[in-house]
Amino acid sequence: MDLKLDGISHAYDATRVLNNIDFTIKAGQIICIIGPSGCGKSTLLRFIGGLERPTEGQVLQIGDPPAESLNPLTYIFQDFALLPWRTVRGNISLVLEDHGIRGTEADTIINDVLARTKLSDFGAALPKQLSGGMKQRVAIARALAVKPACLLMDEPLSALDSQTRELLMDDLVDLWLKEKYTACYVTHNLNEAVRLGHRVVVLSRRPGQVRDIVDIDIPLEDRLKHPALLQEKQDYLWNLMREEARAADLELLDA
Ligand SMILES: Nc1ncnc2c1ncn2[C@@H]1O[C@H](COP(=O)(O)OP(=O)(O)OP(=O)(O)O)[C@@H](O)[C@H]1O
């Protein structure tokens, strides 16, 4: 299933937040959205997930979600959103219970997503026993359990230290290589965008509009082998963003 954003504009009262956004999230691709603070990235993700409706435009689903998908549009947040009193397995089973899936059927799904996120030995652990990186892997496992058509990821690594972030980027690449999930990934971090994105949508300052859509045409598995090429892409993105970010900063100070 592809997702097509068609002429999305939005205002909160008198504040125009997004302006005529058009792009497509193709099945099997990771699309990163970058842009200065307050340009509307998280708002756009809420529209894609159907949590809110834009003032103008629409998000079209082209094609069907995977047949076994329980929740086609599934979020992964920066703060993991795990229930502290439930074990790792319990946190994952919760989303399956919502769909009436219990017993051996649930166990099979949980075992599969724990294996894919390298958490098989930690099913009985409570969130407080886990590092930040492992908590986010549990959140990813929980999201995968509902077989989403598209993962909606809002700054998923920004609560983590830089080494853990590196490891999780490797994990996200490994996961994608094993099963080509679709994701829309909002980030401030240009390094994450060039490591993980097949395409990077660059938004201007508020009201966010598409400044550029940059293809990163190096296979995900080869990116670390080409640091100079990645740096070139990152520099290109930063040049697009530099003036926008500076102006956005001043706007926030004026507010
Ligand atoms: N529910 C809301 N009601 C009113 N204004 C809102 C609401 N949600 C967001 N905004 C405003 O819309 C603008 C865009 O917010 P949004 O969080 O989407 O930006 P962002 O690009 O994700 O920001 P950041 O990079 O800082 O996380 C901001 O000015 C914000 O204050």
Side-chain angles (χ1 to χ4, degrees):
M1 182 181 91
D2 294 350
L3 290 168
K4 182 173 162 52
L5 283 68
D6 181 26
I8 290 186
S9 298
H10 190 69
Y12 287 112
D13 300 319
T15 310
R16 278 195 77 75
V17 176
L18 290 164
N19 200 12
N20 202 23
I21 306 285
D22 285 319
F23 63 87
T24 299
I25 302 166
K26 289 234 164 253
Q29 286 199 337
I30 302 173
I31 304 294
C32 292
I33 302 179
I34 61 170
S37 270
C39 76
K41 301 180 293 296
S42 298
T43 303
L44 194 55
L45 209 61
R46 290 199 296 277
F47 295 151
I48 297 171
L51 297 182
E52 277 182 56
R53 277 178 175 274
T55 322
E56 287 169 52
Q58 55 193 334
V59 179
L60 300 166
Q61 298 186 359
I62 316 269
D64 295 322
E68 66 284 24
S69 177
L70 300 173
N71 188 5
L73 301 169
T74 300
Y75 284 89
I76 295 176
F77 296 106
Q78 173 180 336
D79 64 0
F80 324 128
L82 301 177
L83 293 179
W85 58 86
R86 282 201 169 216
T87 62
V88 167
R89 291 189 78 88
N91 268 280
I92 300 169
S93 73
L94 187 65
V95 295
L96 299 173
E97 287 162 25
D98 282 348
H99 294 274
I101 297 175
R102 294 186 164 77
T104 35
E105 191 185 355
D107 282 340
T108 307
I109 296 172
I110 295 168
N111 291 341
D112 172 53
V113 295
L114 287 179
R116 284 164 67 194
T117 51
K118 302 178 202 155
L119 286 168
S120 297
D121 293 339
F122 300 94
L126 288 166
K128 68 176 180 200
Q129 298 175 284
L130 304 176
S131 66
M134 283 170 78
K135 283 183 199 157
Q136 193 55 299
R137 273 166 37 210
V138 177
I140 293 167
R142 180 182 54 189
L144 293 174
V146 297
K147 298 197 167 52
C150 184
L151 285 170
L152 304 174
M153 306 170 95
D154 198 352
E155 302 267 5
L157 308 188
S158 53
L160 305 172
D161 63 74
S162 59
Q163 286 167 11
T164 307
R165 242 188 338 239
E166 284 292 322
L167 296 176
L168 262 168
M169 282 196 272
D170 291 345
D171 290 340
L172 287 169
V173 169
D174 283 348
L175 265 177
W176 188 86
L177 293 174
K178 284 185 195 127
E179 191 164 330
K180 297 190 173 28
Y181 60 86
T182 312
C184 185
Y185 187 110
V186 165
T187 181
H188 275 106
N189 185 309
L190 302 187
N191 180 249
E192 284 172 34
V194 298
R195 280 277 297 282
L196 298 174
H198 294 97
R199 313 187 84 188
V200 182
V201 176
V202 185
L203 296 184
S204 70
R205 68 181 187 272
R206 197 183 68 209
Q209 40 196 346
V210 177
R211 279 222 51 196
D212 202 350
I213 298 181
V214 179
D215 286 316
I216 314 278
D217 40 19
I218 310 165
L220 282 191
E221 62 272 34
D222 292 340
R223 293 200 180 175
L224 288 179
K225 296 179 205 150
H226 299 286
L229 280 177
L230 276 198
Q231 189 60 46
E232 214 174 273
K233 290 284 185 190
Q234 196 171 320
D235 291 346
Y236 177 77
L237 294 174
W238 175 235
N239 279 329
L240 283 173
M241 284 206 24
R242 185 197 308 265
E243 290 309 315
E244 302 287 343
R246 192 166 282 146
D249 224 26
L250 292 173
E251 268 169 26
L252 292 176
L253 288 175
D254 285 346

